[in-house]
Amino acid sequence: MSRKKLLWVLLVLFTAFVLAACTAGEDAGEEPDDADTDTAEEADGEEGGEDAAAEETPDLDGKTLYINNGQEPTSLDPSIGFDQVSWDPLNNLMEGLTRLDENSEAAEGVAESWDISEDGLTYTFHLREDANWSNGDPVVAEDFVFAWKHMLDPDTASAAAFLAYYIEGGEEYNSGEGSADDVNVTAIDDKTLEVVLIQPTGFFLDLLTNPAFFPINHQVAEETPDWHAEADTFVANGPYMLDSWDHDSEMIFAKNPEYWDADAVNLDYVHFSMVNDSNTQYQMFQTGELDTASVPPELSDELIDGDNVFIGEYGGLEFFRFNLTEEPFQNKKIRQAFSYAINRDDIAEYVVKQGVEPAYGFVSPGFTAPDGNDFREENGDLVAFDPERAQELLAEGMEEEGYDELPPIVLSFNTSDTIQAIAESMQNMLSENLGVEVTLENQEWNVFAEAQQNLELQFSRSSFINDYADPVNFLESFVSDSYMNRTGFESEEYDELIQKGKSETDEEQRYEYLYEAERMLAEEMIAMPIRYYNVVVLEADGVEGILRHPVGYFDLKYADKTE
């Protein structure tokens, strides 16, 4: 069968809107499948129903890879398309100062080199002389200044803006307390960019691989503000350019001859379908209309061990939030009791399937600590399944609160077949293992997300997909003033740990702060981890060189397709 090269395809299986994830925006990085997303976080919708996808796939004159994006990108404006269905196309049309390499590490992109000041605050990037836009314009430092200030402009309302708060003046401008002139990003000359940070940030180069930090051709954008909305106005600086775009149906990328590393690009075209139904896209894979596909849930047991299936790590977590401002979850022991009553192994193996791993901590596998070990292995299992301990804690918590019986419990979740199946399993486990009856409440995504943000939900589902490759990205979501907290949890001690976890320059010590912060989350149990995300991909024979990263974006720069 096929050679299983690394491939990261948007899991149509879950194809939810992956809102960005990390720190400040629950909606960006979230899950690739059905979730809400804290970030990268909320992927919300699983399969969409039938799609018009079954239009005939066009034959293109040249080496063409046929893949599926699941649905229409939210936006190809890098500041607005802060979700998985936008990130994957953007990462192949554009390139930032840094780009994830074959080892998933931040390497040179538009910047061929950089200097970092001794205090770790000032970065000076040297742009490639041969970095050009697809229309022939040179990529200049002012393109980055323009793009980043566009992202931070309050009028842009970018969900990604919080990522640029590490830059001096960024948060002030975005919050309306400062001006664009206060943002300390400077074009020293056409090929030199200077950036000043508010504190040392060891993961800054990783952060810059996020599409939110991609440049915008400032001359084109000033003349055509909606340059990103159609193929005939779109300008690219990455391996591919946007050849055509039939909205809600297909996109065709062509090799970008102006790209500085065009010789490394093997494909002539990439054809993106927009099929938001896992069975339809699987059928297209079987008939050769797609070169890659996700595995339909109902075929998981049959296909998961096949020779042409790749299963890999994906930086993300599905979890359930407790609202500490509503009874009975103001009580820590009651929250802990609920967690001990959940059998995560069974949910992963029998409900979600797809080879996913149960989550016994908050930070997903795939983050390498300074000692070379994985963060997850180093900090170990922080939650467990123990029905007897669950019953003990529930009794103790109820006694502390003076409860003869618990107030009614409502578990809320956003619409998705997989999410509903998980919620129903949890409902049964809480009844059988804890004697607690739980009512399920299913809400459409927009209603659900707003209610959760406003602390109107008592017990609710969430997910998170990392925006960049550092454990602090998830952990900072629960600082007291985070938009993504959504639990009512406030702790000066936790806030201080996260601040140290961002600014400490000794990496070993920085990780110690992050380990301690995660242990504190587990002790307080303000959120209940359920399972980690993964990548499950079917790949046709002859397809190779597609890069997928545990944290990062689908990369077709080196992709190839042989007969």
Side-chain angles (χ1 to χ4, degrees):
M1 302 288 289
S2 77
R3 300 168 58 189
K4 301 188 290 285
K5 294 287 184 180
L6 298 179
L7 162 66
W8 182 31
V9 170
L10 171 67
L11 296 184
V12 181
L13 162 60
F14 302 89
T15 297
F17 220 172
V18 174
L19 302 183
C22 258
T23 321
E26 157 146 312
D27 316 340
E30 184 152 85
E31 26 194 280
D33 49 322
D34 35 312
D36 72 73
T37 263
D38 275 337
T39 158
E41 178 184 276
E42 326 260 341
D44 85 63
E46 185 166 303
E47 287 129 36
E50 272 185 35
D51 302 53
E55 294 181 7
E56 226 169 281
T57 305
D59 289 325
L60 298 170
D61 186 17
K63 189 180 293 187
T64 305
L65 183 71
Y66 293 91
I67 61 178
N68 183 34
N69 199 55
Q71 64 190 57
E72 174 87 352
T74 304
S75 176
L76 292 184
D77 176 343
S79 296
I80 302 299
F82 196 48
D83 50 48
Q84 201 66 54
V85 294
S86 304
W87 280 342
D88 288 341
L90 278 169
N91 195 52
N92 293 287
L93 290 168
M94 306 186 78
E95 182 171 88
L97 294 167
T98 57
R99 187 179 190 90
L100 294 177
D101 64 12
E102 293 91 334
N103 298 314
S104 299
E105 297 177 353
E108 297 84 355
V110 172
E112 61 182 358
S113 65
W114 47 81
D115 303 309
I116 305 173
S117 63
E118 215 171 294
D119 60 7
L121 298 179
T122 302
Y123 285 67
T124 304
F125 294 94
H126 306 286
L127 279 56
R128 299 178 187 275
E129 290 295 333
D130 55 351
N132 294 320
W133 292 97
S134 54
N135 66 353
D137 291 347
V139 178
V140 295
E142 186 60 35
D143 293 332
F144 287 93
V145 175
F146 178 91
W148 296 3
K149 291 186 178 183
H150 169 64
M151 171 173 54
L152 287 165
D153 187 336
D155 292 337
T156 302
S158 169
F162 72 95
L163 293 176
Y165 286 4
Y166 294 98
I167 299 171
E168 189 175 84
E171 183 172 8
E172 290 79 5
Y173 177 39
N174 186 243
S175 65
E177 297 177 0
S179 71
D181 293 338
D182 298 325
V183 181
N184 208 335
V185 180
T186 307
I188 303 299
D189 57 43
D190 279 353
K191 293 293 184 176
T192 308
L193 180 74
E194 182 182 88
V195 185
V196 179
L197 309 183
I198 59 173
Q199 62 191 22
T201 305
F203 49 85
F204 186 61
L205 296 175
D206 287 290
L207 183 66
L208 293 181
T209 66
N210 188 288
F213 290 96
F214 288 172
I216 293 173
N217 186 315
H218 70 284
Q219 293 178 316
V220 170
E222 286 165 353
E223 294 175 5
T224 310
D226 60 350
W227 63 274
H228 50 82
E230 301 293 342
D232 59 0
T233 54
F234 192 92
V235 284
N237 77 314
Y240 300 92
M241 57 187 183
L242 188 55
D243 187 69
S244 67
W245 186 359
D246 184 1
H247 292 281
D248 296 306
S249 179
E250 67 176 17
M251 294 180 293
I252 296 175
F253 292 5
K255 180 176 177 177
N256 180 7
E258 294 289 343
Y259 180 53
W260 66 269
D261 200 18
D263 288 346
V265 180
N266 301 302
L267 298 172
D268 297 302
Y269 297 99
V270 180
H271 178 274
F272 283 86
S273 296
M274 299 179 193
V275 182
N276 196 21
D277 179 79
S278 62
N279 289 301
T280 302
Q281 55 90 39
Y282 175 63
Q283 291 166 7
M284 293 173 69
F285 176 78
Q286 287 185 304
T287 59
E289 295 171 88
L290 286 176
D291 292 315
T292 66
S294 60
V295 176
E298 62 273 23
L299 296 178
S300 177
D301 292 342
E302 176 184 342
L303 300 176
I304 201 71
D305 294 323
D307 291 340
N308 61 338
V309 176
F310 179 86
I311 301 175
E313 294 175 348
Y314 188 70
L317 174 75
E318 181 167 29
F319 62 102
F320 285 75
R321 299 175 192 268
F322 295 107
N323 185 345
L324 278 60
T325 70
E326 288 198 14
E327 294 190 69
F329 297 126
Q330 78 281 4
N331 187 280
K332 180 170 72 173
K333 289 182 178 178
I334 293 176
R335 300 194 299 270
Q336 292 173 334
F338 272 57
S339 178
Y340 275 115
I342 299 301
N343 187 329
R344 294 162 178 80
D345 283 348
D346 282 357
I347 290 175
E349 184 173 359
Y350 302 114
V351 180
V352 182
K353 301 183 181 181
Q354 303 287 350
V356 302
E357 293 293 328
Y360 293 100
F362 294 93
V363 174
S364 60
F367 297 95
T368 303
D371 60 5
N373 295 325
D374 192 272
F375 181 103
R376 181 71 279 126
E377 293 177 1
E378 284 290 296
N379 223 22
D381 291 346
L382 302 181
V383 299
F385 173 54
D386 187 340
E388 291 185 8
R389 181 60 179 149
Q391 293 168 17
E392 293 171 359
L393 285 166
L394 181 62
E396 292 173 11
M398 290 179 66
E399 183 177 357
E400 289 177 358
E401 300 297 332
Y403 292 145
D404 292 325
E405 60 181 32
L406 287 180
I409 305 296
V410 178
L411 172 56
S412 304
F413 58 94
N414 54 293
T415 302
S416 157
D417 291 344
T418 299
I419 294 174
Q420 180 166 336
I422 293 171
E424 290 171 348
S425 297
M426 291 174 58
Q427 181 186 44
N428 292 333
M429 291 173 184
L430 290 168
S431 176
E432 293 174 9
N433 300 327
L434 207 56
V436 173
E437 299 305 316
V438 174
T439 300
L440 300 184
E441 178 184 57
N442 179 7
Q443 297 182 349
E444 290 302 317
W445 171 246
N446 289 337
V447 174
F448 175 83
E450 183 177 0
Q452 188 182 71
Q453 180 61 40
N454 294 334
L455 292 181
E456 295 169 358
L457 304 181
Q458 181 190 32
F459 183 28
S460 60
R461 184 225 177 243
S462 281
S463 65
F464 185 95
I465 295 300
N466 283 77
D467 300 316
Y468 55 91
D470 196 273
V472 76
N473 189 208
F474 175 84
L475 297 173
E476 66 181 342
S477 299
F478 296 98
V479 298
S480 299
D481 60 354
S482 172
Y483 160 79
M484 292 175 27
N485 187 317
R486 306 180 187 185
T487 65
F489 172 71
E490 294 184 10
S491 167
E492 290 184 5
E493 179 184 355
Y494 186 81
D495 294 351
E496 184 177 355
L497 285 171
I498 296 302
Q499 178 56 35
K500 291 178 177 178
K502 290 181 178 181
S503 60
E504 175 60 56
T505 55
D506 182 315
E507 278 296 286
E508 290 187 4
Q509 181 59 60
R510 189 173 78 85
Y511 265 69
E512 287 301 324
Y513 291 133
L514 298 180
Y515 292 142
E516 186 177 350
E518 190 193 33
R519 291 193 294 268
M520 184 175 176
L521 271 190
E523 169 65 22
E524 293 296 328
M525 193 47 65
I526 63 174
M528 179 197 303
I530 297 295
R531 54 105 173 192
Y532 301 118
Y533 286 103
N534 66 352
V535 175
V536 182
V537 174
L538 293 166
E539 183 177 318
D541 292 329
V543 173
E544 57 185 37
I546 301 176
L547 295 181
R548 53 179 178 74
H549 308 284
V551 177
Y553 321 101
F554 178 89
D555 194 337
L556 302 174
K557 176 177 177 177
Y558 303 106
D560 203 355
K561 183 178 174 181
T562 60
E563 297 303 327

